[in-house]
Structures are given as C-alpha cells and as structure tokens.
C-alpha cells in the first residue's frame, strides 16, 4: 500500500484543511505513514502568517528533498498559505516539488496526486475558483470532536496580515450546508464542534439578499442539534461582536462560556495603524458587556508586540489592557513583516532586540494574570470533556473545561466522556483535579 504523511504548519483552519487532505488521500487508497521518511507521498500544509512557520517549512522541505534524492519515486506536495503566497515562483524555488496547491483548491488535489506517475510538476491555485471542502471526505483525529468551516477568506484589511491575500475575500457557507454537516457529525458521535472562519461573526453578510442570517442565528441553529453538547468558535473580530451574538452565547446551553477575542494592541493609536477599526475603549466596553451577559465567561486573546511605530507607552497600554480584561490565556506574537502587506513598508520598524525584550515582559504579565484567573477555579466542580491520557503521565487523564482550560485529573473515564472534576490546583496554563462523577447525559 502506498502511504502518505501530512505535516500541518498553521492555524486551526489549516489543521482542518489537513483533515480534508488526509481524507482525500485515503479515498485514493493511500494509508497514513507514521513519519515522513516512511511515506510515498509527502504533503506539507504550509502557513505564512509569520516568518517562523516559513522557516519551519524550509527545514522540513530540505529533509524531504534529501529523501527524494535517495528515492525519486517519492511525491512531494506543498499546499496551504505559503504555497499560495509563493505561487509565481514555488516550482522555480523548489524544482523537486511535484504538486503545489493553494488552500482553496484542496477539492482538486485528488486529480493531481491520483494521476499516479507524476512526471510533470502540477499546481492548482486560483482564489477565483475556490470552493468549500465541505463535501469531501475527512480524516478526524478524534471521533467526538470536530471542526466545521463556516466561511473562507477575510474582508478585513489589518495592515500586518497576509491572510486576505492568500485566502481571498470572505465567503460564507450556506447555513443549510453547515447544519447538514453538524447533524451528520452528531449522528457520527461528535459531541463538541468548533465553528471556523477567519472572522466568524461577520458570517452571513455576503449571503444577502438571497439569504438573511447572521452568526447568532447560526449558533442557535447548531445549539438545537441533538447530541452536540459543546459549541466553540474561532475567531470572532471585536468589531463584529454585536448584541445578537452575545445574546445567543448567553441563551444557548451548548455554546461554551469562552470567547477568543483578538485585541492585538492595547493602544488606540497602534490599533488605528493596524486598521483594526476599534479603539482600546470600545474593546474594553465590549469585554465588560460580554462578561455581564455571560456568567463565568473566559476571555482569551492574540497580542502583537513591536508593530511599526510602537512606543514604550503604546506597549505599556497593551500590558495594562491585559490586566484590565483579565485574560484566561493569550497568544503573544512578535510582529513579523510580511511581504506585500501595508505594515511591512511602514517607517519606524521596531528593532528585533526591543521586540524581544517587550514580548518577554508581556509574557510575564500574561502568565501572572492567567494564573490568578485559574486559581479562582480551585474548589469548584468543572464539567470536563475527556480527551485521553495526559501528555506527560499515562496514569493521569486530560480534558478541557467548557471555558477551554486544560485539566489534568485522576479518575477513570474514557475519551469522549463528560465528567465532573473537582479543581484542586492551578498553573498559568492548566488545572489539576479529581473526578467526582460522570455528568448525567
Ligand atoms: N483571522 C484570525 C486569525 C489571524 S492569524 C483573527 O483575525 O483573529 C492569528 C494571529 O496571528 C492574529 O490574531 C495576530 O495576532 C497574529 N498575526 C497575524 N499577522 C501577524 C504578523 N505579521 N506578525 C505577527 N503576528 C501576526
Ligand atoms: Fe488577518 Fe485581520 Fe483578517 Fe484576522 S481579521 S485574518 S488578522 S486581516
Ligand atoms: Fe492560517 Fe497561517 Fe494561513 S495562520 S490562514 S495557515 S497563513
């Protein structure tokens, strides 16, 4: 049997695309190889959001090139956002790559790889011919959790971001299609879904006038699907977080008490240069409004340090915003200039050394705040969806709370079960506890 190996470099959307890629390869009769060197078809699903994933990909590709040097029959396929960004010169840069494809052309992958004898490099790009991978086979890592793509592309113009140029304009999937997929997943035994889009809460705007819907309505419709006990979504944009979505979150039992709400910067001046279209004050008001409407809400975020022109004072504003909001977790990034974006050519780029000094300081504050938030959970009983044994200790179980915090706990339970766990300890990233009971279905 021919075997494939897929390496995923990017975000959850990228990981979800990998599930479709794997599903398609399995449909073609290939099996999954444990490692790259055991595979006949080596696939890289790339990301180009920052320089780091680009570099990781380059290292992996060098390894694959060496493998192909020893066995020229091996097929190297490069998909994802980096492939799309480099579409003009990918085969030129890497002549040993056999197949290249953008994130919008996964449905065609089978035609290129299935062709078998791949003498000629073939590629499939084209944002204008994009299509949803919704109908394709899918290889899910866990039988009780699933991602559901609700839109593709992004209409925002954040000045640092490469995504709109590699994923194209926003296009919403029809609500009927999304729901049909969710219902099928529920029949297959899925209990937790995560709705995916670059900007989930602007969902539906492009379907007008034919279909009148919004993200709040989609949440309610998913909530009504029997068997789905947890609904998550990522990422919303603060500018589109309107009343109906907050109300749907508050009303729907299955929608988890968690929102990942990317702030990026706490300085209104920098937010403006980033073209985020909200101010510090508006964001803080929104966070407050959400907390008031949704008891026990967990808020997490993305933060960028060292955006061009960021002064010490601007940076301090990001630090104080973290303290004011009280994030349960935050991803922190050093600003990375991306070719073709507006910010890459802005004057006053911040020196690398200063960026790194700032991110260290920010991480410290993020950890302190997150630990304090997690410590507040001690003594409580949390509903945990069991994911399996802990990564470090086979005897300990691991799962996540509705608020999306990882819990390591003792007890006996199978993956996919919901259990009640009494929280006994906390760090900045995890909770520790003991099972007290299975949650009644
Ligand atoms: N569409 C999502 C995710 C975008 S990428 C959203 O808007 O929330 C995930 C995160 O990467 C962003 O939120 C941002 O914090 C970070 N990011 C994007 N471009 C970046 C860049 N050029 N340098 C550093 N971080 C970046
Ligand atoms: Fe990028 Fe902004 Fe769109 Fe997110 S909302 S994908 S950060 S352009
Ligand atoms: Fe995701 Fe990276 Fe593309 S973050 S959308 S895989 S550039």
């Amino acid at each position: 049997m021919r075997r494939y190996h897929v390496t995923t470099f990017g975000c959850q959307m990228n990981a979800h695309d990998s599930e479709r890629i794997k599903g398609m390869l399995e449909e073609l009769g290939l099996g999954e190889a444990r490692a790259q060197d055991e595979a006949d078809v080596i696939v890289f699903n790339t990301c180009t959001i920052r320089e780091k994933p680009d570099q990781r990909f380059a290292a992996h590709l060098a390894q694959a090139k060496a493998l192909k040097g020893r066995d020229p029959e091996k097929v190297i396929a490069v998909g994802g956002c980096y492939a799309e960004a480099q579409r003009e010169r990918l085969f030129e840069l890497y002549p040993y790559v056999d197949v290249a494809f953008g994130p919008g052309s996964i449905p065609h992958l089978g035609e290129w790889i299935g062709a078998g004898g791949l003498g000629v490099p073939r590629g499939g790009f084209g944002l204008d011919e994009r299509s949803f991978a919704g109908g394709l086979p899918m290889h899910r890592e866990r039988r009780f959790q699933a991602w559901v793509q609700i839109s593709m592309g992004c209409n925002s113009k954040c000045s640092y971001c490469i995504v709109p140029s590699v994923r194209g304009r926003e296009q919403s999937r029809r609500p009927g299609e999304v729901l049909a997929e969710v219902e099928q997943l529920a029949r297959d035994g899925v209990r937790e879904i995560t709705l995916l889009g670059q900007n989930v809460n602007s969902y539906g705007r492009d379907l007008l006038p034919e279909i009148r819907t919004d993200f709040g309505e989609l949440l309610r419709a998913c909530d009504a699907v029997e068997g789905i006990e947890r609904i998550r979504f990522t990422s919303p944009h603060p500018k589109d977080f309107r009343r109906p979505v907050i109300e749907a979150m508050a009303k729907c039992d299955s929608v988890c008490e968690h929102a990942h709400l990317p702030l990026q910067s706490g300085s209104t001046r920098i937010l403006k240069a980033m073209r985020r279209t909200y101010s510090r004050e508006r964001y803080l008001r929104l966070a407050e409004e959400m907390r008031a409407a949704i008891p026990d809400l967990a808020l997490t975020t993305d933060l960028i340090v060292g955006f061009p022109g960021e002064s010490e004072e601007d940076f301090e504003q990001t630090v104080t915003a973290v303290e004011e909001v009280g994030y349960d977790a935050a991803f922190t990034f050093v600003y990375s200039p991306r070719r073709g974006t507006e910010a890459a050519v802005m004057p006053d780029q911040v020196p690398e050394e200063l960026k790194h000094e700032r991110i260290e300081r920010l991480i410290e504050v993020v950890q302190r705040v997150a630990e304090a938030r997690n410590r507040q959970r001690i003594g409580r009983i949390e509903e945990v969806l069991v994911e399996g044994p802990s990564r470090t200790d086979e005897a300990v179980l691991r799962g996540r709370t509705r608020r999306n915090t990882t819990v390591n706990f003792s007890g006996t339970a199978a993956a996919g079960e919901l259990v009640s766990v009494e929280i006994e300890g906390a760090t900045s990233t995890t909770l520790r506890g003991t099972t007290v009971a299975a949650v009644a279905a």
Side-chain angles (χ1 to χ4, degrees):
M1 189 200 241
R2 287 174 86 213
R3 283 183 300 169
Y4 72 84
H5 186 264
V6 179
T7 311
T8 303
F9 292 89
C11 58
Q12 286 166 311
M13 187 72 86
N14 185 252
H16 182 47
D17 289 345
S18 287
E19 295 184 330
R20 298 289 187 193
I21 294 170
K22 290 180 181 188
M24 290 196 70
L25 295 173
E26 283 164 22
E27 191 107 308
L28 292 172
L30 278 81
E32 187 169 16
R34 270 170 311 171
Q36 213 180 83
D37 55 359
E38 292 170 10
D40 305 287
V41 178
I42 301 172
V43 185
F44 297 112
N45 194 14
T46 60
C47 168
T48 191
I49 195 83
R50 289 169 289 273
E51 204 183 339
K52 227 188 231 161
D54 281 10
Q55 291 167 343
R56 270 186 62 221
F57 164 62
H60 276 258
L61 189 62
Q63 230 175 333
K65 181 189 175 195
L67 288 172
K68 194 175 168 111
R70 289 198 288 278
D71 176 6
E73 291 292 297
K74 281 194 196 293
V75 173
I76 301 180
V78 180
C81 294
Y82 175 82
E84 183 69 45
Q86 302 293 333
R87 54 191 291 181
E88 309 290 345
R89 42 190 214 130
L90 196 86
F91 292 123
E92 218 176 287
L93 284 172
Y94 314 111
Y96 42 90
V97 168
D98 301 288
V99 179
F101 57 102
S105 21
I106 294 172
H108 304 286
L109 183 60
E111 299 158 32
W112 304 313
I113 290 187
L118 283 151
V120 214
R122 320 266 293 267
F125 297 100
L127 290 173
D128 15 303
E129 299 157 32
R130 292 181 307 167
S131 43
F132 281 110
L136 300 179
M138 173 165 62
H139 166 121
R140 279 190 285 110
E141 291 310 319
R142 296 210 183 94
R143 69 190 154 70
F144 53 92
Q145 286 171 325
W147 282 307
V148 178
Q149 185 180 9
I150 65 164
S151 62
M152 57 179 161
C154 179
N155 286 357
S156 291
K157 297 186 174 65
C158 304
S159 58
Y160 51 82
C161 185
I162 190 89
V163 171
S165 77
V166 290
R167 295 245 172 196
R169 302 229 1 122
E170 184 172 308
Q171 194 183 326
S172 301
R173 236 173 124 191
R174 289 162 173 276
E177 251 180 68
V178 175
L179 268 210
E181 186 172 331
V182 173
E183 279 160 4
Q184 185 56 50
L185 288 168
R187 282 194 290 273
D188 292 347
V190 167
R191 306 185 87 173
E192 177 180 284
I193 56 167
T194 303
L195 305 176
L196 288 183
Q198 300 303 334
N199 180 0
V200 282
N201 52 351
S202 65
Y203 174 80
R205 238 166 262 166
D206 58 300
L207 295 173
L208 282 168
E210 204 191 326
I211 300 174
R212 192 172 196 92
T213 184
D214 63 20
F215 186 60
E217 199 173 294
L218 188 70
L219 282 180
R220 286 171 197 267
C222 292
D223 181 61
V225 175
E226 186 98 19
I228 300 296
E229 284 166 86
R230 288 182 168 193
I231 300 171
R232 303 184 183 283
F233 54 87
T234 200
S235 295
H237 194 300
K239 76 173 162 62
D240 296 308
F241 223 114
R242 311 244 164 93
R243 203 63 230 176
V245 179
I246 300 177
E247 276 165 15
M249 282 185 78
K251 290 228 171 76
C252 298
D253 287 344
S254 324
V255 178
C256 290
E257 295 74 31
H258 168 224
H260 182 70
L261 198 60
L263 170 66
Q264 312 301 2
S265 168
S267 152
T268 296
R269 199 177 71 83
I270 295 295
L271 286 169
K272 195 157 192 192
M274 287 177 162
R275 294 194 190 279
R276 290 293 287 178
T277 71
Y278 53 82
S279 63
R280 172 194 178 92
E281 290 68 33
R282 206 177 124 207
Y283 181 101
L284 293 178
R285 261 203 313 278
L286 171 65
E288 222 169 277
E289 192 188 340
M290 290 171 71
R291 284 215 199 279
I294 306 154
D296 230 16
L297 179 74
L299 282 175
T300 59
T301 200
D302 291 345
L303 302 165
I304 297 177
V305 303
F307 184 84
E310 184 189 73
S311 66
E312 179 62 27
E313 208 175 21
D314 294 316
F315 171 69
E316 283 294 335
Q317 298 229 304
T318 301
V319 172
T320 55
V322 169
E323 287 167 333
E324 259 176 69
V325 176
Y327 292 110
D328 293 79
F331 294 111
T332 51
F333 305 107
V334 162
Y335 168 71
S336 170
R338 304 281 70 201
R339 195 202 306 258
T341 61
E342 199 188 335
V345 291
M346 283 181 183
D348 301 327
Q349 298 283 328
V350 176
E352 285 304 312
E353 227 180 77
L354 189 52
K355 286 192 219 172
H356 284 99
E357 188 201 304
R358 283 184 188 162
I359 200 166
E360 298 279 311
R361 282 161 60 197
L362 184 61
I363 289 171
E364 232 179 81
V365 177
V366 162
Q367 287 178 342
R368 171 165 50 76
V369 169
E371 185 174 338
R373 295 280 301 169
N374 282 343
R375 291 194 67 84
Q376 289 173 11
R377 313 308 295 178
I378 295 176
R380 297 191 196 217
I381 310 286
E382 300 264 358
E383 180 202 279
V384 173
L385 179 61
V386 185
E387 293 184 346
S390 119
R391 291 204 173 94
T392 48
D393 184 351
E394 281 281 317
V396 174
L397 290 169
R398 177 177 46 93
R400 271 181 302 141
T401 65
R402 286 177 61 94
R403 304 172 76 258
N404 210 30
T405 315
T406 298
V407 191
N408 294 310
F409 58 100
S410 56
T412 43
E417 260 181 71
L418 285 172
V419 294
S420 293
V421 173
E422 183 174 350
I423 305 304
E424 293 155 347
T427 68
S428 63
T429 51
T430 55
L431 299 173
R432 186 170 43 74
T434 305
T435 321
V436 289
V439 173

